[in-house]
Amino acid sequence: MSTRVPLAGDFVNGDVSFWYRSLGIPLPGAPLGGDLDADVAVVGAGYTGLWTAYYLKKASPGLRVVVLEKEFAGYGASGRNGGWLVGELAGTPERYARTHGADAARRLQRVMFETIDEVVTVAGDEGIDADIVKGGVTTVATNTAQDRRLHRLLAHERHWGWTEEDVRLLDPAEREERLRVDGAVSAIWSPHCARIQPAKLARGLAETVRNLGVEIFERTPVTEIAPREARTPYGTVRAEYVIRATEGFTAELRQYHRTWLPMNSSMIVTEPLGGLWDEIGWEGRELLGDMAHYYMYAQRTADGRIAFGGRGKPYLYGSRVDDRGHTHEWTIEALWELLTGMFPAIRASRVAHAWSGVLGVPRDWCATVHVDHTTGIGWAGGYTGHGVTTTNLAGRTLRDLILREDTELASLPWVDRKVRGWEVEPLRWIGVHTMYDLYRRADAREKAGLGRTSVLARVADSITGR
């Protein structure tokens, strides 16, 4: 590790995440002990699977719901993410409008906003302490090109129904009062975001659904999903419905290898900052993002640290997944450089933990939820990094689809969305790495003084269809 990044004496790289390190990594429960029958089998005990189980049991307590998990509940992105309970769509409203009309796309956006409060309410009702603070999200621009994009983004959101109450431009005085980002040119703020501690939410959900009677079998990898069957090395679960809730790990199922691309995202977290907060601000605990192409995301944690994330080594050849969460040294260095560039005072601190995880990316970058009543196979995912909120909406929507309820959620434009698979290798490896290399170069040009969005970024968008 380069000495440019000061490391804490107990620095950890990987080992799931800092979120679990602060709680204690749980010992996985018992695996499946043989064949069994159920009403619903859920593959994956992350947020999607746990929310689905929760809402099904709340709606129909008599259902036998079984959850199958390769590691332990919350092991994947649910226990590693940046803790953004944010109301942004996975994908663009234009793409949802293309199939269902503009009003349906606007309705989906409103439901996403409402879903933030749904998560907050359920956590409160169920006694899940996940360090939730609904302080909104601030998005900053730190150069002229980013400033132009920020104003275009604001205009785009106004067009799609975001009012002044949903998002607004901050004047310089309020921007500095909220959060003092070095070199900030402009910023917008939206109330539709809450900070969470991801592993606390995952652990609390798992405990809640177990108390409702849901059976969670850990250390139980599912090797194949078939009509009304989930097959594992320890037995087969036969169920009227089998729900795939595997998100970034979906490519490990051979039959779905090219459905969603496992994109890597990495994070670092500082030591507690103590008196440094006087220089930074951040009293409102809002989330922080920026307008770079190679974007970052950050939160002020409940114990006074900065958790700071971005794209590291974005994709491993053949859709492989490094499920241990080890983060490359150059990624840690890049994140530290971004963090200390935004907050120079942080150079007096040290990095306490670095980790990585994968998120699921569909070919059109839009999430989907689906239930096929003929085969009993259903799924939800492809959240492209917006899963903390979208998984809750997925769980409620899967509930309605499985129970054949004719509801507003069951008619939203992401339901039954058809998306083609990703290209074969080496095309997807070349495409993804080219995209992110171009984004990095575009950010460098804009930081050096280019006053408009670099054409390299537009080329990158066209390569992968973002």
Side-chain angles (χ1 to χ4, degrees):
M1 173 63 61
S2 167
T3 56
R4 286 197 307 131
V5 182
L7 303 179
D10 58 349
F11 171 78
V12 175
N13 190 341
D15 202 18
V16 189
S17 69
F18 167 77
W19 309 122
Y20 273 115
R21 177 188 179 185
S22 64
L23 300 178
I25 296 176
L27 293 174
L32 182 68
D35 295 349
L36 63 77
D37 295 326
D39 296 301
V40 180
V42 179
V43 181
Y47 290 154
T48 300
L50 295 173
W51 281 124
T52 301
Y54 174 81
Y55 285 108
L56 281 170
K57 288 293 283 186
K58 294 292 278 189
S60 185
L63 288 176
R64 186 178 188 184
V65 180
V66 169
V67 181
L68 304 170
E69 167 57 45
K70 181 181 178 181
E71 300 286 347
F72 59 79
Y75 176 81
S78 299
R80 308 185 194 207
N81 63 78
W84 281 45
L85 184 63
V86 66
E88 296 174 11
L89 294 177
T92 66
E94 286 84 356
R95 285 183 173 162
Y96 295 110
R98 200 171 297 157
T99 54
H100 289 74
D103 287 345
R106 292 187 177 99
R107 188 171 76 251
L108 176 59
Q109 181 61 79
R110 284 291 150 192
V111 171
M112 282 291 293
F113 290 160
E114 294 163 3
T115 298
I116 298 168
D117 293 324
E118 171 72 11
V119 174
V120 175
T121 298
V122 171
D125 291 346
E126 301 294 349
I128 300 172
D129 178 7
D131 298 339
I132 299 175
V133 176
K134 191 179 180 184
V137 55
T138 295
T139 304
V140 299
T142 57
N143 57 52
T144 301
Q146 289 188 23
D147 177 57
R148 289 184 176 183
R149 281 198 299 280
L150 183 141
H151 282 83
R152 286 199 300 271
L153 172 64
L154 183 60
H156 178 265
E157 289 173 339
R158 288 280 185 267
H159 173 76
W160 285 101
W162 294 50
T163 68
E164 185 76 10
E165 293 183 350
D166 297 316
V167 61
R168 61 186 175 85
L169 188 67
L170 298 178
D171 63 51
E174 184 180 1
R175 186 183 74 225
E176 291 300 302
E177 180 183 354
R178 283 182 173 275
L179 186 55
R180 291 181 282 281
V181 176
D182 194 63
V185 176
S186 59
I188 54 176
W189 178 80
S190 169
H192 300 300
C193 192
R195 180 201 75 187
I196 68 162
Q197 206 279 33
K200 285 187 175 182
L201 179 59
R203 187 177 67 175
L205 276 176
E207 181 180 355
T208 297
V209 299
R210 285 188 175 107
N211 290 338
L212 290 173
V214 173
E215 299 163 271
I216 302 178
F217 295 100
E218 297 174 311
R219 295 181 289 170
T220 304
V222 171
T223 56
E224 185 179 2
I225 294 173
R228 296 187 166 81
E229 289 187 351
R231 299 168 182 168
T232 85
Y234 312 117
T236 296
V237 178
R238 293 175 292 271
E240 186 67 20
Y241 292 97
V242 179
I243 303 301
R244 190 183 82 233
T246 47
E247 184 57 358
F249 293 91
T250 300
E252 294 188 336
L253 290 164
R254 185 170 59 180
Q255 67 201 108
Y256 301 112
H257 185 67
R258 289 164 50 198
T259 300
W260 294 326
L261 186 141
M263 193 78 76
N264 216 43
S265 196
S266 301
M267 296 197 72
I268 59 174
V269 66
T270 67
E271 295 178 310
L273 298 183
L276 295 177
W277 290 112
D278 294 338
E279 298 183 51
I280 298 169
W282 221 333
E283 292 300 319
R285 273 64 172 178
E286 62 262 51
L287 286 300
L288 173 66
D290 73 353
M291 291 301 298
H293 305 290
Y294 210 73
Y295 57 86
M296 50 68 61
Y297 50 94
Q299 67 153 279
R300 176 176 176 173
T301 68
D303 61 347
R305 308 168 187 257
I306 294 179
F308 192 92
R311 296 293 179 259
K313 191 172 184 178
Y315 173 72
L316 300 179
Y317 190 89
S319 292
R320 290 182 294 112
V321 174
D322 175 10
D323 60 2
R324 299 296 126 182
H326 182 83
T327 301
H328 290 268
E329 291 183 8
W330 71 263
T331 299
I332 298 172
E333 292 175 359
L335 292 174
W336 179 252
E337 183 179 353
L338 281 172
L339 172 58
T340 55
M342 300 180 96
F343 304 109
I346 302 303
R347 293 192 181 97
S349 181
R350 297 180 295 180
V351 176
H353 198 133
W355 70 97
S356 297
V358 291
L359 51 100
V361 178
R363 191 62 183 85
D364 71 346
W365 300 74
C366 293
T368 57
V369 59
H370 176 83
V371 171
D372 183 343
H373 295 287
T374 302
T375 64
I377 295 175
W379 64 79
Y383 307 122
T384 65
H386 296 92
V388 180
T389 307
T390 317
T391 50
N392 176 276
L393 178 57
R396 289 183 287 140
T397 304
L398 285 167
R399 171 202 60 194
D400 291 352
L401 294 173
I402 290 169
L403 299 179
R404 297 177 184 252
E405 298 286 343
D406 184 15
T407 65
E408 178 191 23
L409 298 186
S411 65
L412 290 171
W414 72 317
V415 175
D416 300 333
R417 185 175 181 82
K418 303 297 188 295
V419 183
R420 69 181 176 91
W422 285 87
E423 288 79 3
V424 297
E425 293 291 24
L427 295 178
R428 61 180 183 271
W429 187 92
I430 293 171
V432 173
H433 282 267
T434 299
M435 174 186 72
Y436 278 105
D437 181 62
L438 290 171
Y439 282 149
R440 281 193 295 267
R441 292 172 182 269
D443 283 333
R445 289 187 177 187
E446 294 172 10
K447 184 178 180 180
L450 181 66
R452 52 178 171 73
T453 294
S454 171
V455 68
L456 297 179
R458 296 193 178 97
V459 173
D461 289 342
S462 66
I463 289 174
T464 54
R466 285 188 71 175

